[in-house]
Amino acid sequence: MEKLKPKLFSVMKDYTKEQLVKDIVAGIIVAIIALPLSIALAIASGVTPTMGIYTAIIAGFLVAFLGGSRVQIAGPTAAFATIVAGIVAKDGTEGLMIATILAGILLVLMGIFRFGGLLKYIPYTITTGFTAGIAVTLFIGQVKDFCGLKYPEGTPTIETVEKLEAIGKNISTINFQAVIVGIVCLAILILWPKVSKKIPGSLIAVIVSALLVKFMGLNVNTIGSLYPDLSNKLPSFTVTKDLFSFAMIRSQFSNAFTIAILAGIESLLSAVVADSMIQSKHRSNMELVAQGVANIGSACFGGIPATGAIARTAANIKNGGRTPIAGMVHSVTLVLVLVFLMPYAKLIPMPCIAAILFQVAYNMCGYKNFIKLCKTAAKSDVAVLVLTFVLTVVFDLVVAIEFGLIAAAFLFMKRMSEVTHVEGWKYIEDEDNDDDRTSLKKVPQDTLVYEFSGPMFFAAADNILKLPMDNKYNFLILRMRGVDALDATAMHNFETIYEECRKNHIQLVFSHVNEQPMKIMEKSKFVDLVGREFFCDHIDDALALCESLEAFVLETNKKRKKNEQ
């Protein structure tokens, strides 16, 4: 069983000075990448920029210190932006704090109870659907800042549909100076990687756009104009017992569950990607515990939900990071940036933030996979994919995941029920059987044989009740070699069939019952009810048993008739 031990304590045994230097360099570079992203994602989430940096500092350090991956970098990610914005708009930062702490507790419990492997049961179509949906909502949410639009006070912009409506009604307020700044930033983000891959394009875009607005006197919103009280104070403990009430916990539980599932999926996906890049193996359950502790810590110190960030983790690996020390250096570097450079963040133009998030939305949308699934997947899978995508955009992520999982479960059960069959053997009369068919089996005259295949669960259990109850037969053999799973509903139906057989004086005989169905039958005392002697290992044994019993019945009947005469 996978042990709950942080990777940090395993990799430090053979740690070298050379690797320390590489980890420090990687950590500093990742911090430079994380700074503008943390600010941008915090603003997209409807909270202050410093809350994004607090998240990267606290969650980044705790995940590195306690995590099950060697190279995971944690912090705010785009996956949470829409759900966090919705919680903040409806319940304020207090509601967000409760939801994040509850999500952290759920993640810790998931790790302790070894649920790391269960997240793989969430279908790929659902993760693809809601990821694409998040990308669309993120993009739509940044159109206002990119175009410099002005909305009348009180304009509702919580839901994506409301944002689209507000954009349409206020498109005439477009600020072309803001659009120019945004286009310049987009151009830098797209073209800069061709110049240098060491320095992130987002940092260059931030610097260029800030200088452009400052020295050309452009009429463009900046972080400072929207958040004049931007602080460079270190994060402090903000939780009070007054925040917790049963009503608040109950109202935020569904949000907490969604945050926990998202954090689990994204962090483990990031860890898997990292494993493939460094030929390592992460500890999934320890990673969930670390993500849980990180989210609790982030919320307690004024941050927002966090998870493993694939892009930042990949950047860490590409720049030489190979141990959790790099993630810890990344957090320490952000602390220094917060204290000494945060006042300069007020100069960052909002169109630049929007451009950075446009690129994030494009990178996460996975449109190629989305189109490929629509073309190649089964219709039921495409239905789940599109449903999850549409619900994410039109409603929110909570609704999308709930309905997506329900739809996927029902479609899966339908698909499984379609591959479950109960078929009777075909009988060939002796006079028609003039060729040498060695594969055919001789069936006693008063015996019926039915073959079961596929999982016998509640969606397919009604097939059991369709078995014929013809009292001209003395024996009914049920061949179970194709049944690997049996549930309570199917077991109940087998008990019903047994009672019907008993009323019609038909002996039930089972052949080749597999391990799981046999355990269920033994646990429910069904084996003792039917008689253990009527459970045969092979169909030949079952046929021989019926033939011997048939001969015994015939002999008994002859003796009874003689006695009557």
Side-chain angles (χ1 to χ4, degrees):
M1 183 179 287
E2 182 186 284
K3 54 186 176 181
L4 285 174
K5 180 181 178 182
K7 274 285 186 177
L8 176 66
F9 304 140
S10 297
V11 301
M12 294 306 292
K13 296 175 183 177
D14 303 316
Y15 201 59
T16 62
K17 292 180 180 179
E18 292 78 8
Q19 187 56 53
L20 174 62
V21 173
K22 291 179 182 179
D23 286 338
I24 291 173
V25 172
I28 293 171
I29 292 173
V30 172
I32 294 171
I33 295 171
L35 178 64
L37 280 176
S38 299
I39 292 172
L41 291 168
I43 293 172
S45 301
V47 297
T48 62
T50 48
M51 291 180 72
I53 298 178
Y54 289 168
T55 306
I57 292 171
I58 302 297
F61 188 89
L62 289 173
V63 166
F65 185 74
L66 296 174
S69 169
R70 297 169 63 101
V71 290
Q72 183 86 281
I73 302 294
T77 63
F80 292 124
T82 52
I83 187 171
V84 169
I87 297 171
V88 171
K90 292 176 182 177
D91 303 306
T93 54
E94 293 82 4
L96 176 63
M97 184 185 298
I98 298 298
T100 308
I101 291 174
L102 287 175
I105 294 171
L106 288 174
L107 282 165
V108 170
L109 292 174
M110 288 163 66
I112 291 173
F113 290 107
R114 316 285 177 172
F115 281 10
L118 294 182
L119 290 173
K120 66 185 178 182
Y121 294 110
I122 296 178
Y124 179 62
T125 48
I126 290 180
T127 57
T128 303
F130 74 62
T131 302
I134 290 169
V136 170
T137 57
L138 187 63
F139 181 89
I140 292 171
Q142 299 311 306
V143 171
K144 175 181 180 291
D145 288 331
F146 189 87
C147 297
L149 301 180
K150 294 181 179 179
Y151 296 166
E153 190 175 346
T155 301
T157 54
I158 298 176
E159 305 293 343
T160 305
V161 175
E162 293 174 343
K163 291 175 183 177
L164 283 172
E165 187 178 351
I167 291 169
K169 288 181 177 178
N170 299 283
I171 193 66
S172 59
T173 64
I174 188 170
N175 180 347
F176 288 102
Q177 292 183 0
V179 173
I180 290 171
V181 172
I183 291 173
V184 169
C185 291
L186 271 180
I188 292 172
L189 292 169
I190 294 169
L191 299 175
W192 183 257
K194 297 179 181 179
V195 178
S196 172
K197 292 185 178 179
K198 291 289 184 182
I199 303 174
S202 56
L203 180 64
I204 302 301
V206 164
I207 294 171
V208 170
S209 62
L211 294 173
L212 197 64
V213 171
K214 179 70 175 176
F215 292 105
M216 293 188 68
L218 299 179
N219 181 27
V220 175
N221 283 334
T222 62
I223 290 179
S225 65
L226 296 182
Y227 303 95
D229 299 328
L230 200 63
S231 171
N232 65 343
K233 293 180 180 179
L234 291 173
S236 58
F237 193 78
T238 57
V239 177
T240 61
K241 63 179 181 180
D242 298 334
L243 291 173
F244 291 88
S245 66
F246 179 74
M248 178 65 84
I249 292 173
R250 185 175 62 180
S251 66
Q252 294 301 326
F253 192 80
S254 63
N255 289 326
F257 179 78
T258 303
I259 291 171
I261 292 296
L262 264 180
I265 293 172
E266 193 162 359
S267 63
L268 294 184
L269 178 61
S270 176
V272 168
V273 172
D275 286 349
S276 66
M277 295 177 72
I278 62 172
Q279 286 74 52
S280 180
K281 185 172 177 59
H282 72 281
R283 295 167 185 159
S284 58
N285 294 308
M286 191 65 237
E287 185 65 22
L288 289 179
V289 171
Q291 294 292 338
V293 173
N295 275 278
I296 295 171
S298 176
C300 290
F301 286 89
I304 60 177
T307 186
I310 296 176
R312 275 160 272 175
T313 300
N316 179 33
I317 294 169
K318 290 177 182 177
N319 287 282
R322 289 296 181 275
T323 76
I325 297 297
M328 297 162 74
V329 170
H330 140 268
S331 294
V332 173
T333 304
L334 285 174
V335 170
L336 299 175
V337 170
L338 173 68
V339 174
F340 297 108
L341 300 178
M342 200 58 190
Y344 297 103
K346 293 183 178 182
L347 301 174
I348 302 174
M350 294 306 296
C352 176
I353 296 295
I356 291 171
L357 290 174
F358 279 169
Q359 187 184 48
V360 171
Y362 174 79
N363 289 336
M364 76 177 295
C365 72
Y367 72 93
K368 291 182 180 178
N369 288 336
F370 194 99
I371 294 171
K372 182 181 178 182
L373 281 172
C374 288
K375 289 181 177 178
T376 60
K379 289 181 180 179
S380 58
D381 288 332
V382 175
V384 172
L385 171 71
V386 175
L387 176 68
T388 308
F389 171 76
V390 171
L391 290 176
T392 302
V393 175
V394 176
F395 295 99
D396 59 48
L397 201 55
V398 178
V399 174
I401 290 179
E402 288 174 351
F403 277 86
L405 285 173
I406 291 170
F410 273 106
L411 289 169
F412 173 77
M413 288 185 290
K414 181 178 181 298
R415 198 176 301 159
M416 287 297 97
S417 67
E418 289 172 351
V419 300
T420 301
H421 302 288
V422 178
E423 295 179 343
W425 277 15
K426 294 181 179 178
Y427 301 93
I428 299 175
E429 299 296 335
D430 290 340
E431 55 267 31
D432 296 329
N433 187 21
D434 54 1
D435 56 322
D436 185 16
R437 302 189 186 184
T438 56
S439 61
L440 296 179
K441 296 185 182 297
K442 182 181 178 182
V443 179
Q445 188 175 359
D446 293 336
T447 302
L448 275 178
V449 181
Y450 273 80
E451 188 118 16
F452 285 67
S453 61
M456 299 305 298
F457 66 114
F458 58 89
D462 62 325
N463 289 323
I464 300 170
L465 300 177
K466 296 176 182 178
L467 291 171
M469 289 295 114
D470 192 341
N471 55 14
K472 73 178 183 180
Y473 292 98
N474 293 324
F475 304 98
L476 176 62
I477 298 176
L478 303 183
R479 195 181 192 193
M480 304 277 288
R481 65 173 182 172
V483 179
D484 293 319
L486 186 76
D487 76 349
T489 305
M491 189 65 257
H492 173 73
N493 288 357
F494 273 124
E495 290 170 350
T496 303
I497 283 295
Y498 170 77
E499 291 299 327
E500 290 295 318
C501 286
R502 194 170 62 83
K503 289 177 185 177
N504 288 278
H505 306 290
I506 300 172
Q507 177 60 55
L508 204 55
V509 179
F510 286 86
S511 162
H512 199 146
V513 181
N514 290 308
E515 183 179 359
Q516 191 272 350
M518 193 65 178
K519 285 182 179 179
I520 297 296
M521 290 181 173
E522 288 178 336
K523 191 174 181 180
S524 64
K525 309 296 184 183
F526 183 70
V527 173
D528 295 330
L529 183 67
V530 175
R532 192 170 292 272
E533 66 273 17
F534 295 109
F535 283 79
C536 302
D537 294 335
H538 194 274
I539 186 63
D540 290 339
D541 298 331
L543 292 170
L545 175 63
C546 291
E547 189 171 15
S548 63
L549 289 172
E550 184 181 52
F552 176 77
V553 170
L554 289 173
E555 185 64 29
T556 303
N557 288 337
K558 285 180 181 179
K559 289 180 179 179
R560 181 173 55 81
K561 287 179 180 179
K562 284 183 179 180
N563 292 332
E564 288 175 355
Q565 291 174 356

